[in-house]
Amino acid sequence: MSPLEPFRNEPLAELRRGTERARLDDALALLDARLPLRVPVWVGTDRREGDALPSTDPGAPDRVVALAARATTGDVDAAVAAARGAFPAWAATPVNERADALVGAAAWMRGRRAELAALCVRECGKPWAEADADVAEAIDFFEYYARGAIALAKRPPQLVQVPGERNTLRYAPRGVCAVIAPWNFPLAIPAGMVAAALATGNTAVLKPAEQAPGCGLMVVEALRAGGVPAGALALLPGEGDAGAALAEHPDVTTIAFTGSGAVGLGLLRAAAAKPPRAGSLTRVVAEMGGKNCVLVDADADLDDAVPAIVHSAFAYAGQKCSAASRVLVHEAAADALLERLAGAVEVLPVGQPSEHGTVAGPVIEREAQERVARYAALAADTGRVVTTRAAPAGGWFAPPTVVTDLPADHPVLHDEIFGPVLAVEAVRDLDEAMDRVDALPFALTGGLFARNPRTIERVTARSPVGNLYVNRGITGAMVGRQPFGGNRLSGTGTKAGGPDYLLQFVEPRVVTENTMRHGLVVD
Amino acid sequence: MPGAAPPPETEVVAIGREIAAALPAPGRHPVQAIDTRAMDLTSRDAELKAALFRFVDVVPACRSVDDLAAHLVGFLGEVDSQTPPLRAAMKMGDSRAGRAALGTAAAAGVKHMARRFIVAEDPGAARRTLRRLWRDGTSASVDLLGEATVTTAEADRYAARCGEALDALTAIYGDVPARPRLERDGVGALPRANLSVKVSALTPLLKPDAPAMGQRDAAPRLRELLRHARDTGAHLHVDMESYDSREAITDLVIDVLSEDEFRDGPSAGMVLQAYLRDGGELLDRVLAWSAAHERTPPLTIRLVKGAYWDHEFVEARQHGWEPPVWEHKAESDRSFEALTLRLLDARPAVRVAIASHNLRSVAHAIAANRASGGDDAGLELQVLRGLGDDLGHALAQLGHRVRVYCPVGDLVAGMAYLVRRLLENTSNESFLAEQARGAALDDLLAAP
């Protein structure tokens, strides 16, 4: 195979063209006719189907999207054993061949862009633009890590050399990687974590979110179709118990996790406490929650800031790790911003994700709907609800809500709600805003609307977040362009879609060879 | 696609030379000469240009003279080549007194620049300018600048301002002296009052991925304005904006004007952007519609090159899309001429307005109009206030029917417009910039 072209992001669907929208509508109709999908426990070539774990359409919960088998602890053992068995051969497979498998998986998905986006719409309630971006990002991860793995193998960092010795650094895969994925980017995130493990020569076991087994299956289908050997990648649809059993399995050397802080911290603890027979320290790559703040200075252009904030807070009903949940605005701009923000939320398209133009669809499940309602009620008790929308009937809709005048210790200002609630606070100046950001345990994304270059410099220097966005929305990180991930309690500081990510999946080995024999230097 | 025959090149060049000869000699407007030189200077230094544009953009959001100076110093600090005047300005930023002087001077400079492009704060205040233009033989189309519309209240407010503008324009033109050339073409009477409106300001719901949504929301406000225009006898022109809103605007105009209520008026128009690769297809659609829906007076189509080129190109590149605009200026210029010929040929089913500051494009349209047997007064030519004043004046003197597009609004509302116009003026490929640098007339008039 010829060398790979330099990485380039998969173009998003140009939804402003009617022909593109019609293509997606057609794909959705075709998908609907095929539902429910069957999702097996898939270990090696063994597919065990079942229907214990159904996934439903958050916009119309009566619609069953997928019927999945539920993985047992026996399945977990079998999957890890298979992955362990396949590890030596896959690790020894030349990196170019492993990369080709990822590129093949990308091609498989590229040929099914509309169909996969439709599945995201149905299974996770993603509006079209977000669903399409999810597929494109999955493709990006395959392509990006394929190239990254080759670079890591072929161009490792150079060591200091002196006459008479040869020092080399190489990266070896770590073994079996457990991938525990979330539902909010049901294709992209599992695809990215699994691809990083496989590209570097690890084998992987994927436990997709119980809300999105159908999407998880598509990731495994793509990689198997691309050429990943059956043993090297297993699919374990299941719930939290399966994930825990997988993560605690002694033969798992790496855990790649994206999800809630509580689960992530639990995984870190469990990994540290693993019995010694495990034979290695378990590394945990964890991307967890956020409480993302957008700072708005007095000189901000509200024409830009208002739509960007509304989109960051309410697109996909606020269910992105990167979503905005607090706005800290300079008091000079606060009234104008609040008025325009409220007006903009009043016309926010809320509805079924399958309708073009919908920005805020349903939340993922009843429990999420109830959680959002709880926080909205808490905000109404102590603060002021600036605006709230009536939620459509039928699905797990949560009303987009803007609140203000909350006391500094209010839970709405501190907890990750993971839903369409935005709190606005007026501050004396940006220093006060930065103090409040600094007081948070999270540091995932942040935003700044300001035009004085010196202000931008000042905030940039002090901001703790993993991804700071200046004068734009704070969601929509692109592979290779905005390596994504948080600091503090938001994550382990690894950056998905960035140049350092693959280093989490390898162990460095240095070889120093004495090249001098009896005064003769052999180079 | 059928179209009028291309005019003889010799004729295009002769007309171009005639217009060039009628342009005022350099130096006749001392203030404008200063502006022109300043723009030329900044257009050579991309960094300084960027710094000054960003400053112009932020002026309305600055809370004090001190704040203004702090921003200016902030932007200038990002310019790599610190020339002595730049260093002097930076140094002024170190003291409160220095900032006061710097901020005051900068605010005055921006205000002066804005006045060149923005006629007045509101239509009533534009009275003197509009009446003077009329007396001098040019009509106008007034455009109300405003903040972006993100709420229903803002959409309602903009629609109300448009309604008031229609009344103000009717009053302004009520007792001006008759100017037959401006008031009638081959089809019939031309309204004196003429208002351009933006659909993006008529609805907060203009979504690229759901054009029907914005269309639905804007339609009632547009209908109300059309009724108002019909009642006051004014012309209502719907501007075209970025490609994101193209489908919604096109569908909105065509659907609403198809309604029985508007069969016999008001005079209304839309815009065709020559820089779009699919401009010809849009024209196909509009012409097919005009053929099927005869209305009096016929739809006016204003042909422009298009004002969002940088936005379209950058946005497409960021998303990995094929840009909807022609990449090279010559391609847009050729498209402009091809569309000119088709539009002229489509008369009288449509009325045609050619809006360009490109001497070649204008001369080509005039020549094509004559070649097709039309007289000069039968063709409307449009220029922008502040950018095309000299050209408009020269064309009017030569007996052409000229309309000046006149933005009206306050400084805050007008900044985005102002920056776009400045960009156009100093862009390297801009016709005006080339002209200001003294490019040979023959080169400027050569076929694209």
Side-chain angles (χ1 to χ4, degrees):
Chain A
M1 208 166 177
S2 53
L4 298 174
E5 299 278 313
F7 173 78
R8 182 175 165 267
N9 294 102
E10 179 75 3
L12 301 174
E14 199 174 350
L15 296 179
R16 59 186 178 177
R17 295 187 188 270
T19 46
E20 288 289 288
R21 297 192 295 274
R23 221 165 43 78
L24 295 176
D25 294 338
D26 292 347
L28 186 68
L30 283 175
L31 176 76
D32 280 348
R34 283 171 45 213
L35 297 181
L37 306 181
R38 310 289 300 201
V39 181
V41 167
W42 195 3
V43 177
T45 53
D46 188 28
R47 294 173 72 116
R48 181 172 68 74
E49 292 200 342
D51 53 13
L53 192 70
S55 71
T56 55
D57 179 351
D62 289 342
R63 179 186 281 123
V64 177
V65 179
L67 286 171
R70 187 202 300 263
T72 62
T73 47
D75 291 326
V76 171
D77 288 340
V80 175
R84 200 172 175 216
F87 174 64
W90 180 245
T93 301
V95 65
N96 283 340
E97 286 177 34
R98 297 198 306 255
D100 284 349
L102 264 61
V103 171
W108 188 91
M109 282 199 168
R110 208 173 276 125
R112 292 166 179 76
R113 283 271 307 257
E115 175 191 337
L116 294 171
L119 181 58
C120 288
V121 169
R122 283 292 184 241
E123 193 166 50
C124 298
K126 286 205 137 181
W128 278 118
E130 317 281 343
D132 171 69
D134 208 322
V135 186
E137 189 178 357
I139 294 171
D140 280 352
F141 277 130
F142 290 150
E143 296 278 359
Y144 187 79
Y145 292 145
R147 287 159 178 77
I150 292 173
L152 206 59
K154 301 279 169 77
R155 296 184 295 281
Q158 292 304 298
L159 304 177
V160 175
Q161 309 290 350
V162 295
E165 75 178 30
R166 182 159 56 227
N167 299 311
T168 52
L169 168 65
R170 67 190 70 182
Y171 294 106
R174 297 173 47 83
V176 178
C177 178
V179 176
I180 299 173
W183 48 264
N184 65 336
F185 287 82
L187 293 168
I189 293 182
M193 294 192 292
V194 168
L198 291 173
T200 42
N202 303 277
T203 52
V205 178
L206 169 62
K207 206 293 280 179
E210 67 256 32
Q211 296 88 346
C215 288
L217 173 64
M218 292 304 117
V219 171
V220 176
E221 292 267 17
L223 285 159
R224 296 262 188 121
V228 172
L233 173 60
L235 174 70
L236 293 182
E239 291 180 287
D241 55 333
L246 176 62
E248 285 162 22
H249 197 288
D251 290 333
V252 164
T253 59
T254 313
I255 301 169
F257 166 78
T258 303
S260 75
V263 174
L265 291 176
L267 288 175
L268 282 158
R269 266 193 300 272
K274 258 195 196 177
R277 85 170 174 92
S280 75
L281 300 172
T282 305
R283 183 175 293 169
V284 180
V285 179
E287 287 300 336
M288 298 176 286
K291 189 71 194 174
N292 308 312
C293 303
V294 178
L295 277 49
V296 181
D297 202 2
D299 68 353
D301 186 345
L302 298 187
D303 281 359
D304 292 340
V306 171
I309 290 169
V310 169
H311 195 266
S312 300
F314 299 109
Y316 193 29
Q319 300 176 105
K320 303 179 193 180
C321 341
S322 53
S325 61
R326 289 174 71 178
V327 171
L328 305 167
V329 53
H330 191 290
E331 57 191 11
D335 289 345
L337 178 75
L338 208 54
E339 188 191 334
R340 300 187 76 188
L341 215 46
V345 171
E346 272 151 29
V347 294
L348 181 75
V350 180
Q352 288 294 342
S354 54
E355 276 169 37
H356 292 285
T358 291
V359 176
V363 293
I364 188 73
E365 57 198 358
R366 184 195 298 275
E367 191 195 353
Q369 188 188 38
E370 290 168 355
R371 183 184 61 239
V372 174
R374 221 162 37 238
Y375 278 106
L378 274 179
D381 280 349
T382 20
R384 177 162 67 91
V385 174
V386 183
T387 188
T388 187
R389 295 284 304 278
W396 308 127
F397 287 94
T401 302
V402 179
V403 299
T404 190
D405 297 342
L406 294 172
D409 60 349
H410 197 279
V412 164
L413 299 183
H414 296 273
D415 299 356
E416 185 179 40
I417 301 171
F418 223 64
V421 179
L422 179 69
V424 180
E425 303 149 67
V427 290
R428 271 193 324 279
D429 52 29
L430 279 195
D431 289 307
E432 188 185 347
M434 286 190 285
D435 288 344
R436 292 191 192 185
V437 170
D438 222 5
L440 284 167
F442 296 110
L444 184 47
T445 67
L448 169 65
F449 283 89
R451 288 190 273 185
N452 190 331
R454 292 182 173 179
T455 308
I456 295 170
E457 228 172 79
R458 201 155 52 88
V459 174
T460 304
R462 205 184 145 185
S463 167
V465 301
N467 290 73
L468 178 69
Y469 295 94
V470 181
N471 291 326
R472 51 156 281 177
I474 67 166
T475 61
M478 301 281 284
V479 171
R481 280 161 62 184
Q482 289 94 24
F484 184 80
N487 304 318
R488 298 189 176 170
L489 287 187
S490 291
T492 47
T494 51
K495 286 290 198 181
D500 304 334
Y501 190 68
L502 294 182
L503 292 175
Q504 307 300 319
F505 295 83
V506 291
E507 52 186 37
R509 296 177 186 172
V510 171
V511 175
T512 297
E513 187 182 353
N514 178 1
T515 58
M516 190 162 70
R517 283 293 286 168
H518 306 302
L520 174 70
V521 176
V522 189
D523 270 333
Chain B
M1 278 294 119
E9 275 302 310
T10 49
E11 185 65 13
V12 176
V13 173
I15 293 169
R17 289 183 168 283
E18 187 191 11
I19 300 169
L23 288 170
R28 265 189 48 201
H29 304 299
V31 173
Q32 202 171 313
I34 292 168
D35 263 4
T36 310
R37 211 154 36 231
M39 282 184 196
D40 190 42
L41 178 76
T42 56
S43 70
R44 278 161 210 237
D45 182 340
E47 275 191 336
L48 182 58
K49 173 171 134 182
L52 292 178
F53 282 8
R54 287 164 69 196
F55 175 68
V56 168
D57 183 46
V58 82
V59 166
C62 289
R63 285 162 297 153
S64 62
V65 181
D66 198 70
D67 197 24
L68 269 172
H71 277 85
L72 182 57
V73 168
F75 292 127
L76 293 179
E78 297 209 318
V79 177
D80 272 343
S81 54
Q82 293 279 328
T83 55
L86 223 64
R87 277 200 299 274
M90 299 285 293
K91 199 151 180 292
M92 290 174 81
D94 292 342
S95 70
R96 181 162 269 281
R99 285 197 298 274
L102 186 63
T104 308
V110 170
K111 205 160 189 183
H112 169 72
M113 210 178 256
R115 281 216 188 94
R116 183 174 153 189
F117 296 93
I118 300 172
V119 176
E121 300 254 318
D122 60 64
R127 180 183 176 89
R128 278 186 57 178
T129 307
L130 295 176
R131 288 167 70 99
R132 195 180 58 236
L133 282 170
W134 181 267
R135 277 197 306 274
D136 292 350
T138 51
S139 54
S141 184
V142 165
D143 162 50
L144 301 181
L145 299 171
E147 286 176 321
T149 290
V150 300
T151 70
T152 299
E154 287 163 348
D156 288 339
R157 214 143 53 216
Y158 176 76
R161 282 173 63 213
C162 287
E164 289 157 17
L166 285 169
D167 292 335
L169 291 173
T170 309
I172 288 168
Y173 288 108
D175 57 349
V176 289
R179 286 284 178 272
R181 195 207 308 156
L182 302 179
E183 301 189 64
R184 177 160 289 279
D185 67 1
V187 174
L190 291 162
R192 290 176 174 178
N194 184 310
L195 182 70
S196 290
V197 297
K198 291 207 160 45
V199 176
S200 65
L202 281 177
T203 168
L205 284 172
L206 213 49
K207 310 273 176 193
D209 55 342
M213 208 179 260
Q215 193 190 335
R216 247 191 333 265
D217 192 63
R221 295 187 190 90
L222 181 62
R223 276 191 205 103
E224 204 45 54
L225 287 177
L226 286 167
R227 287 178 199 128
H228 200 140
R230 191 183 49 209
D231 295 348
T232 51
H235 173 89
L236 195 74
H237 213 97
V238 180
D239 280 348
M240 201 53 93
E241 304 174 57
S242 73
Y243 196 74
D244 274 353
S245 58
R246 213 269 296 255
E247 189 178 333
I249 295 176
T250 308
D251 290 353
L252 172 68
V253 172
I254 285 182
D255 288 0
V256 171
L257 289 183
S258 299
E259 293 168 7
D260 276 347
E261 183 185 355
F262 302 116
R263 243 188 127 75
D264 298 314
S267 172
M270 63 188 295
V271 174
L272 184 62
Q273 295 160 311
Y275 69 2
L276 290 182
R277 289 165 181 271
D278 61 359
E281 289 156 44
L282 178 63
L283 182 56
D284 290 342
R285 185 176 162 205
V286 175
L287 291 182
W289 171 79
S290 318
H293 292 79
E294 208 172 301
R295 70 187 301 274
T296 34
L299 183 77
T300 301
I301 300 179
R302 178 201 297 154
L303 179 64
V304 302
K305 184 171 154 192
Y308 301 79
W309 191 91
D310 295 85
H311 166 85
E312 302 294 3
F313 203 76
V314 169
E315 189 189 43
R317 278 290 151 88
Q318 283 193 355
H319 289 93
W321 299 335
E322 175 83 5
V325 291
W326 296 110
E327 189 165 346
H328 302 291
K329 178 180 172 293
E331 293 168 313
S332 292
D333 289 344
R334 280 198 292 275
S335 163
F336 196 99
E337 295 192 2
L339 293 170
T340 298
L341 297 179
R342 290 192 56 199
L343 281 167
L344 293 177
D345 196 44
R347 294 174 302 180
V350 294
R351 276 175 159 158
V352 182
I354 300 294
S356 172
H357 298 151
N358 183 323
L359 195 55
R360 158 79 199 186
S361 302
V362 176
H364 171 268
I366 294 169
N369 179 47
R370 287 180 188 167
S372 70
D375 65 358
D376 286 352
L379 178 68
E380 179 162 311
L381 302 172
Q382 293 192 8
V383 296
L384 285 176
R385 169 78 177 180
L387 270 186
D389 299 333
D390 289 346
L391 177 62
H393 193 70
L395 290 168
Q397 281 192 328
L398 291 171
H400 296 284
R401 180 153 58 82
V402 178
R403 187 180 304 279
V404 184
Y405 186 91
C406 291
V408 162
D410 67 22
L411 205 57
V412 178
M415 271 312 141
Y417 174 84
L418 184 56
V419 169
R420 210 161 55 233
R421 290 286 85 89
L422 290 171
L423 271 173
E424 183 176 333
N425 203 22
T426 65
S427 132
N428 285 334
E429 286 194 303
S430 152
F431 179 86
L432 289 164
E434 285 181 30
Q435 192 187 22
R437 274 199 297 276
L441 191 56
D442 283 346
D443 292 342
L444 295 177
L445 288 174

